[in-house]
Amino acid sequence: MSVFHYQNNQLFAEQVAVSELAKQHQTPLFVYSRAEFENRWKAFDAAFGAQPHLVCYAVKTNSNVAILNVLAKLGSGFDIVSQGELERVLRAGGDPAKVVFSGVAKKHAEIARALEVGIRCFNIESHAELDRIQGVAESMNLIANISIRVNPDVDAKTHPYISTGLKDNKFGVDINTAPELYADAAACPNINIIGIDCHIGSQLTEVKPFVDALERVLKLKATLEDMGIDIHHLDLGGGLGIQYTQETPPKIADYIQALLTKLNDSSIEVIIEPGRAIAGNAGILVTEVEYLKPTEHKNFAIIDAAMNDLIRPALYQSVQDIIPVQPRTDGVAAAWDLVGPVCETGDFLGKNRAMNLLAGDLLAVMSSGAYGFSMSSNYNTRPRAAEVMVDGEQAYVIRPRETYEDLMGSEVCLPA
Ligand code: LLP
């Protein structure tokens, strides 16, 4: 049984009725399942068997401290892209020695903080970044462990905005020129090369691009070893897709097995950075229908969640299931566009959905655990939604709804 399921015609999150949560905490409301986060993380971890490995949850996916804490308790590592994410991991009790630091624009202060707390590895994305990390490490009299993020130029066959392994992306360095950068890194006194890193994109629904990328990474590893550079780990990034509607992504175990088969080396450590495949189906966004506005051309159901709460439909034309929290047994279905209160034509969460609706109904936007709250904003001065984590029969507010004071409290007027 899925963690989000119907029981007596009521949507439940684990053993808690979603309508009760909405009554208590109002809408829009993110509801997460602790069990789903744990089960998905454990599925990655278990799939490696005896292979040395570290599952580094991609913090950007959903960075609430309670979620990071749940994963840290399982022994998770973390993939971060900013000092802010590092501070979250530390607050959540995460182990800095299990943190890898990705991202193209690491600032001096961010590098210094990461060195100070002793992260596992910097995933370097350019020569300029190598120089900067060498400089900061030297000034602190420390050694920085690094890998270089290479761009294997494989087509991840996903939405262009979330495809990152092609030559014309800003990420990583060309795999063909990577040996020169590795040679320069090897000559840096405060740099310790430990790995090779790559991440080719997100929401991949096939295994082949991952395996193709690994094949190229393995060739690079052989080249580096010929140069006398030892590689201790391969970081193969994140990217495994989930089922939003009709997609059929590989199972976690099959994806990892395909990597291990290609790798054929039981001694090297493998790091992966999954985000969506852990968080995506561990969360829903609950919203209330405010008004029905049928017109001659279209039926609009105006809901209280908007693109500022969940930007994926507006930004990537993504389609997520939207289901009633208490399905109506009377009336008939019609086709509705589910639109939010924000003043943008792009503000919709679903289009042309066959639903039987009345004002006041509660709806659940499924698969909203990944890149939902973490990409939310205050556009239109909308307080960000509350977040609740269900654990069996209990529900905990892990972030209260923002207040207007939260939004405006630090703003100041000119003296005159
Ligand atoms: N590692 C790196 C270096 C990344 O850039 C990302 C995601 C991940 C790991 C995690 O990827 P995942 O396992 O979640 O696919 N906002 C977009 C997705 C952007 C992904 C950015 N990088 C969306 O809502 O579809």
Side-chain angles (χ1 to χ4, degrees), residues 58 60-61 79 102 149 162 199 201-203 238-240 273-276 312 316 371 375:
K60 65 170 81 70
T61 317
D79 165 55
S102 305
R149 176 167 173 181
I162 52 178
H199 169 80
S202 197
Q203 185 53 16
L240 180 63
E273 305 169 352
R276 188 191 319 262
R312 304 193 67 260
Y316 317 113
Y371 306 109
M375 293 181 82

Side-chain angles (χ1 to χ4, degrees), residues 116-388:
E116 174 187 81
V117 301
I119 67 161
R120 170 170 299 221
C121 189
F122 290 90
N123 292 337
I124 288 187
E125 306 229 16
S126 63
H127 205 303
E129 184 189 334
L130 169 66
D131 295 342
R132 182 176 285 184
I133 293 178
Q134 161 57 30
V136 177
E138 188 178 353
S139 71
M140 297 172 75
N141 207 14
L142 290 171
I143 301 290
N145 291 328
I146 67 111
S147 70
I148 291 173
R149 176 167 173 181
V150 296
N151 193 331
D153 199 30
V154 299
D155 185 357
K157 297 200 177 71
T158 184
H159 190 283
Y161 283 14
I162 52 178
S163 189
T164 48
L166 285 168
K167 269 193 183 137
D168 54 0
N169 295 134
K170 70 177 172 180
F171 302 101
V173 302
D174 185 338
I175 196 161
N176 300 313
T177 59
E180 294 154 37
L181 186 51
Y182 269 101
D184 289 350
C188 290
N190 296 77
I191 294 287
N192 179 34
I193 297 168
I194 59 170
I196 304 175
D197 173 45
C198 82
H199 169 80
I200 56 174
S202 197
Q203 185 53 16
L204 273 70
T205 52
E206 290 170 36
V207 159
K208 189 169 182 300
F210 290 114
V211 174
D212 290 351
L214 175 55
E215 187 172 309
R216 293 177 197 185
V217 164
L218 287 172
K219 273 196 198 131
L220 172 62
K221 177 173 175 280
T223 306
L224 295 177
E225 275 163 2
D226 287 345
M227 293 162 61
I229 295 173
D230 254 7
I231 294 300
H232 167 264
H233 79 242
L234 301 180
D235 181 338
L236 302 176
L240 180 63
I242 60 165
Q243 183 174 17
Y244 281 101
T245 55
Q246 305 301 317
E247 304 86 343
T248 50
K251 290 199 171 65
I252 290 173
D254 296 342
Y255 153 70
I256 298 296
Q257 194 47 56
L259 296 179
L260 296 186
T261 304
K262 181 90 217 166
L263 188 61
N264 196 21
D265 173 354
S266 58
S267 65
I268 189 157
E269 183 182 31
V270 180
I271 294 180
I272 48 162
E273 305 169 352
R276 188 191 319 262
I278 291 175
N281 282 322
I284 59 174
L285 173 60
V286 186
T287 178
E288 183 175 330
V289 178
E290 293 284 347
Y291 300 100
L292 293 184
K293 184 173 173 181
T295 73
E296 265 183 37
H297 303 291
K298 249 186 198 314
N299 295 323
F300 294 103
I302 301 167
I303 57 179
D304 68 359
M307 64 190 291
N308 76 295
D309 302 298
L310 182 68
I311 203 174
R312 304 193 67 260
L315 193 57
Y316 317 113
Q317 298 77 46
S318 63
V319 179
Q320 297 183 207
D321 273 345
I322 302 180
I323 63 173
V325 168
Q326 290 161 300
R328 300 199 154 274
T329 46
D330 53 343
V332 286
W336 296 98
D337 277 12
L338 302 162
V339 300
V342 163
C343 303
E344 301 259 356
T345 305
D347 182 28
F348 61 89
L349 294 191
K351 284 194 168 167
N352 206 16
R353 303 294 175 97
M355 299 188 86
N356 178 6
L357 295 180
L358 287 181
D361 284 1
L362 292 171
L363 307 176
V365 185
M366 306 307 286
S367 313
S368 297
Y371 306 109
F373 188 91
S374 65
M375 293 181 82
S376 67
S377 76
N378 293 120
Y379 188 39
N380 280 207
T381 304
R382 287 170 50 81
R384 277 182 294 176
E387 296 177 283
V388 165

